[in-house]
Amino acid sequence: MTSRPAVDVSLLPSVPLSDKRYLPDEPGVYFVMDGGGAVRYVGASVSLKKRWASHHKIRFFRNVEGAAIAYAKVDVALLRPVEQLMFHCFKPPLNEVRGCPGDVVFV
């Protein structure tokens, strides 16, 4: 049996990648999804709008067919813990892995 993530990102507000300028200027955790709804990347920012004005991985996201950005507004104090929980739930393939061998951390 396959376990499902505790968060259904299809229920979150989202914008197509091409409309990223419409993201709110508020803190939150975001999910880059492909056209099939699979989560490809997870991140967090104190300003979703400013983060996406010049995201450092935009060139990778442009290669994701049907890419959209879903987001959940999150209190600034909870950004990192919620982001880490979402890494654990989704194990997104476009997030880099850092750390020692055997010590997997998605960032």
Side-chain angles (χ1 to χ4, degrees):
M1 181 191 293
T2 304
S3 64
R4 298 192 60 192
V7 175
D8 184 348
V9 295
S10 70
L11 300 176
L12 297 174
S14 65
V15 297
L17 183 64
S18 60
D19 289 340
K20 61 187 171 59
R21 66 189 172 279
Y22 296 116
L23 288 164
D25 189 17
E26 297 185 53
V29 173
Y30 58 87
F31 307 83
V32 177
M33 303 176 304
D34 63 24
V39 174
R40 306 296 303 272
Y41 186 86
V42 172
S45 179
V46 296
S47 170
L48 295 166
K49 184 180 205 74
K50 289 175 185 166
R51 177 69 175 131
W52 280 94
S54 60
H55 198 288
H56 69 287
K57 289 195 170 188
I58 192 71
R59 69 182 184 277
F60 296 111
F61 303 143
R62 286 192 178 123
N63 293 325
V64 175
E65 188 173 337
I69 307 160
Y71 60 92
K73 295 177 187 177
V74 176
D75 185 86
V76 173
L78 298 174
L79 281 175
R80 187 67 177 159
V82 172
E83 181 186 38
Q84 287 295 314
L85 179 61
M86 295 302 100
F87 289 151
H88 178 73
C89 288
F90 292 101
K91 297 176 179 45
L94 294 178
N95 286 87
E96 295 177 6
V97 178
R98 295 184 190 163
C100 300
D103 185 24
V104 177
V105 179
F106 290 90
V107 295

